[in-house]
Amino acid sequence: QRFRKNFDAPQFRHIKVPETYPELTTDKVMVMEFCPGIKITDREKIIEAGMDPVELATKSAESFLEQLCRHGFFHCDPHPGNVACEKGPNGEARIIFYDFGMMDSFGAVERKGLVDLFFAIYYDADVKGAINALERLGMLRTGPDIDRVAVEKVGKNFIDRFQETLKKDGEWEDQLSPEERKRINRQRRKELGEEFLSLNADSPFIFPPTWTFVFRAFFSLDGIGKTLDPKYDLTKITLPYLKELLDLKDGNAFKTTLLRIGKRVGLRPIDINQFVTQPRRTAQVEDIARRLENGDFKLRVRAMEVERMMERSKLVQKNIFNAVLSFAFLNTGILLSSVGRSSLSSTILPTTWTLRLVFGAALFIGTKVPLGMRDIQKLDNYNKRYGLKK
């Protein structure tokens, strides 16, 4: 009923949700309206019925974006078995949703964060805005252990490539040949090797369960869209749809428009505030510089190269320790076997069991040495993938 009410408006007449009958529904049986339709991926029957599959692909994507950005209540499982279509009374293609057993929702903060993320990536190319939006969505951890500079640098590279592809109407990376993708990955690792290693070490990104359902639904819709339209591109469908979400970014479309104009000419509230508070900020910077000169502050610098060297040194030292310990047990065993049974006290352990124990310890610890060498080689190869030397 909630899902049906969200689409109960004239602009959504192309969305059909089966009606429920509470008076006929029990704890075990739900009675719903019978809504037959054509399977959403049956392109031939859709064309035979006089409907446009390209239009249906676009409408299905827009309906899901509407659920996410405006309603905050969405269908988690829109696979082809749960989505059908029919020709409406006015001849317009209409999408039918079934099976509402897997639904999820999020609040206004998450919806605002999602809209801000879309605008930061699509329109503003603002990496800091995108990262702030990810933090509000709960997808990016915060704290002193997160290298935000590395996140911003990798994010800027992604947004720049994304914007370049949009402007040139070019091919996305998954549409390129395997050789071209390998070449791009090698170049990216060479440019951002330090940042990738920092991200891999910090693991700043997390995916709450709700967003797992969101991505799953996007994958299902992407598969439906590409079945209906070989040229389907969910990314490019999202771009014009965002114009309809201007009112969600800052409360209303007029305010958003004014803020965007103000950003271009430098007359936003934040710009005016910076102009007014600039003398105070300058004095604060001067005070910090003076205290640094006096030794009141201590700078903490993260050197990724030192961290890599320390990590490798730990592995090498551990390997050396295992090798020395293994040889120590081996020498002890050889010494005990050469001394003979007469020198051992029979009240402690039999000579045979003593030797077995010592040689067994030497063998067990010795097997860790080649494993440790393998770990060192894996670390060296891992760093080499990102264009970094030992």
Side-chain angles (χ1 to χ4, degrees), residues 157 161 173 177-194 196 383-388:
N157 179 269
R161 289 184 290 108
E173 286 193 15
S177 64
E179 293 75 16
E180 184 66 15
R181 286 202 299 270
K182 287 180 181 179
R183 186 191 66 79
I184 292 175
N185 286 335
R186 283 196 297 267
Q187 181 180 358
R188 191 177 305 148
R189 287 170 180 166
K190 185 177 180 181
E191 294 173 356
L192 301 169
E194 292 279 1
F196 281 133
N383 290 331
K384 188 177 180 181
R385 284 176 55 197
Y386 294 98
L388 303 171

Side-chain angles (χ1 to χ4, degrees), residues 36-49:
I38 302 172
K39 191 174 182 179
I40 193 68
T41 52
D42 196 339
R43 196 169 187 274
E44 293 182 1
K45 287 187 178 180
I46 289 173
I47 295 174
E48 288 177 4

Side-chain angles (χ1 to χ4, degrees), residues 348-376:
I348 301 176
L349 278 176
T351 304
T352 303
W353 287 106
T354 303
L355 292 176
R356 287 181 179 179
L357 183 62
V358 172
F359 282 120
L363 179 63
F364 175 73
I365 298 173
T367 55
K368 294 185 177 182
V369 175
L371 294 177
M373 295 177 65
R374 184 198 63 179
D375 291 339
I376 296 172

Side-chain angles (χ1 to χ4, degrees), residues 16-120:
K16 183 173 178 60
V17 181
E19 190 173 352
T20 57
Y21 298 94
E23 66 276 10
L24 301 176
T25 299
T26 66
D27 293 339
K28 296 183 178 180
V29 178
M30 175 181 286
V31 180
M32 302 177 67
E33 178 186 2
F34 178 62
C35 298
I38 302 172
K39 191 174 182 179
I40 193 68
T41 52
D42 196 339
R43 196 169 187 274
E44 293 182 1
K45 287 187 178 180
I46 289 173
I47 295 174
E48 288 177 4
M51 292 182 286
D52 184 4
V54 176
E55 181 188 7
L56 280 171
T58 303
K59 285 181 176 179
S60 64
E62 290 180 350
S63 69
F64 190 66
L65 290 171
E66 189 76 17
Q67 295 171 48
L68 289 178
C69 299
R70 287 197 185 277
H71 305 160
F73 182 66
F74 58 95
H75 200 303
C76 296
D77 198 20
H79 62 77
N82 288 339
V83 185
C85 60
E86 66 173 2
K87 201 166 186 178
N90 59 351
E92 183 183 18
R94 190 158 60 172
I95 297 173
I96 309 171
F97 284 97
Y98 304 123
D99 190 0
F100 303 95
M102 189 180 289
M103 307 291 291
D104 206 344
S105 62
F106 43 73
V109 175
E110 288 79 8
R111 292 204 304 273
K112 175 73 164 54
L114 183 62
V115 173
D116 287 347
L117 178 64
F118 283 152
F119 273 88

Side-chain angles (χ1 to χ4, degrees), residues 2 56 74 89 136 138 168 193 227 258 297 300 349:
R2 180 180 173 184
L56 280 171
F74 58 95
R136 287 196 294 275
K168 294 182 179 180
T227 302
L258 285 180
F297 289 153
R300 291 186 299 176
L349 278 176

Side-chain angles (χ1 to χ4, degrees), residues 12 64 75 138 152 205 241 301 319 370:
F12 302 125
F64 190 66
H75 200 303
E152 289 183 2
F205 296 104
Y241 177 78
V301 181
N319 222 30

Side-chain angles (χ1 to χ4, degrees), residues 292-310:
L292 281 172
E293 292 176 353
N294 295 335
D296 297 336
F297 289 153
K298 292 183 179 180
L299 291 177
R300 291 186 299 176
V301 181
R302 183 180 186 183
M304 294 299 298
E305 184 176 356
V306 175
E307 289 184 14
R308 290 198 308 274
M309 291 174 60
M310 290 293 293

Side-chain angles (χ1 to χ4, degrees), residues 303-330:
M304 294 299 298
E305 184 176 356
V306 175
E307 289 184 14
R308 290 198 308 274
M309 291 174 60
M310 290 293 293
E311 184 179 4
R312 192 176 191 277
S313 296
K314 286 181 181 178
L315 291 176
V316 172
Q317 290 175 5
K318 183 179 178 181
N319 222 30
I320 292 174
F321 176 77
N322 287 333
V324 171
L325 191 60
S326 176
F327 277 109
F329 274 110
L330 181 63

